[in-house]
């Protein structure tokens, strides 16, 4: 039987005739030398039977407060290059600086990468990769990533990307998985699904542990972030001796003098006198020295005056804390 992907006059290189299982070659199908698996509808793309394979690298780095995007992207591209067979060459690099937990239709639209001096030419993000893969005359035959977790942190999105590429006859490889183009794919698919499940487990487990730590931190009376209106942060030596030696501190909330009195006055006007938010804001703006307005993060957001939304936020936080 002659393979639809090859012909007796143009046989594939010997390296592509191997079975997936060492020592147990699959039956060959005619003069092409390809196995029954290779010529089946379940085999790899016919483009991978050429001697030179064009590859696109897909990289992703989490938000900049979690990783160094410059070093991360450089490392991922280097890892992918090292994992490729000798005759394969990288022709394009697509990368994003964003969370792998985002919905697929929201991926690849940010411009965070422009903030970093990444010395690798960018051909686009994941959305650009998928768009080019579906077009005739694309520049690449296959896609490789450092690990499948770099494609997506959730299994659904990861499989969606894989299937979109598969429909375009573009296989998706990972540098930490075996790169094989012949033989049975069943074991390869099993390993891929396990890796995708592990990627989702790792991020969910990390988030759950972080949330538990955050809850414990708050229950012990420690503050996180900018103090809400009416309070100020009092700094304490960090209870962990190692972190304290590094100069780390923690803070607790305490009433902030005139701002604390302003919160009490707002509550009196709202709950005792039953005034509306607009009316309360007008009374507060009549004496900004006695009732200093909130100072939101960023000078561009500061209004220097009270508005009904700021009055509502003060009352909402106070109600949550049980102080009114």
């Amino acid at each position: 039987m002659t393979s639809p992907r090859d012909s007796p006059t143009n046989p594939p290189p010997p390296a592509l005739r191997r079975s997936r299982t060492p020592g147990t070659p699959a039956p060959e199908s005619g003069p092409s030398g390809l196995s029954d698996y290779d010529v089946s509808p379940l085999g790899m793309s016919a483009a991978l039977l050429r001697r030179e394979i064009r590859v696109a690298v897909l990289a992703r780095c989490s938000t900049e407060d979690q990783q160094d995007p410059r070093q991360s992207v450089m490392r991922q591209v280097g890892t992918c290059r090292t994992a490729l067979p000798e005759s394969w060459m990288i022709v394009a690099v697509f990368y994003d600086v964003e969370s792998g937990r985002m919905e697929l239709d929201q991926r690849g639209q940010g411009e965070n990468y422009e903030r970093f001096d990444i010395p690798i030419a960018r051909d686009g993000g994941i959305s650009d990769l998928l768009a080019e893969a579906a077009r005739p005359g694309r520049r690449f035959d296959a896609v490789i990533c450092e690990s499948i977790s770099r494609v997506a942190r959730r299994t659904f999105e990861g499989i969606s990307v894989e299937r979109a590429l598969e429909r375009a006859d573009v296989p998706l490889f990972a540098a930490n998985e075996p790169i094989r183009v012949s033989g049975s794919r069943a074991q390869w698919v099993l390993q891929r699904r396990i890796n995708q499940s592990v990627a989702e487990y790792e991020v969910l487990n990390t988030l759950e542990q972080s949330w538990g730590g955050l809850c414990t931190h708050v229950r012990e009376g420690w503050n996180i972030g900018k103090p809400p209106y009416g309070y100020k942060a009092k700094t304490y030596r960090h209870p962990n001796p190692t972190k304290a030696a590094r100069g780390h501190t923690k803070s607790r909330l305490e009433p902030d003098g005139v701002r604390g009195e302003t919160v009490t006055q707002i509550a009196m006007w709202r709950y005792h006198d039953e005034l509306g938010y607009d009316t309360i804001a007008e009374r507060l703006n009549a004496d900004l020295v006695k009732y200093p307005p909130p100072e939101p993060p960023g000078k561009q957001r500061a209004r220097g005056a009270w508005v009904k939304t700021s009055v509502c936020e003060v009352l909402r936080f106070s109600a949550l804390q049980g102080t009114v």
Side-chain angles (χ1 to χ4, degrees), residues 40 54 62 80 82 111 193 222:
S40 75
R54 304 167 301 170
S62 187
C80 291
T82 302
E111 297 181 351
R193 298 296 173 260
W222 301 111

Side-chain angles (χ1 to χ4, degrees), residues 29 51 82 109 118 123 175 214 228 247 261 294 299-300 316:
S29 299
R51 291 185 181 275
T82 302
Q109 300 179 14
I118 302 177
D123 293 278
L214 177 64
E261 295 173 359
K299 295 182 178 179
Q300 67 279 7
R316 182 172 61 86

Side-chain angles (χ1 to χ4, degrees), residues 97-152:
V97 179
E98 61 187 14
S99 171
R101 295 185 294 112
M102 296 174 62
E103 300 287 342
L104 188 56
D105 59 357
Q106 299 175 1
R107 296 277 307 277
Q109 300 179 14
E111 297 181 351
N112 274 350
Y113 66 91
E114 294 182 344
R115 301 175 51 231
F116 307 97
D117 183 23
I118 302 177
I120 297 176
R122 182 177 183 270
D123 293 278
I126 188 171
S127 56
D128 301 299
L129 170 72
L130 296 176
E132 181 171 346
R135 292 198 300 265
R138 59 175 174 261
R139 293 171 292 167
F140 48 86
D141 307 307
V143 176
I144 187 171
C145 56
E146 181 185 53
S147 66
I148 201 62
S149 63
R150 292 297 176 181
V151 175

Side-chain angles (χ1 to χ4, degrees), residues 58-92:
L58 174 59
R60 180 190 61 79
C61 177
S62 187
T63 49
E64 59 268 25
D65 60 331
Q66 300 294 328
Q67 293 178 319
D68 180 344
R70 184 178 188 275
Q71 293 185 2
S72 179
V73 172
M74 292 173 62
R75 187 201 68 246
Q76 291 178 55
V77 174
T79 301
C80 291
R81 181 180 291 109
T82 302
L84 291 177
E86 290 185 7
S87 60
W88 295 28
M89 55 184 173
I90 296 175
V91 297

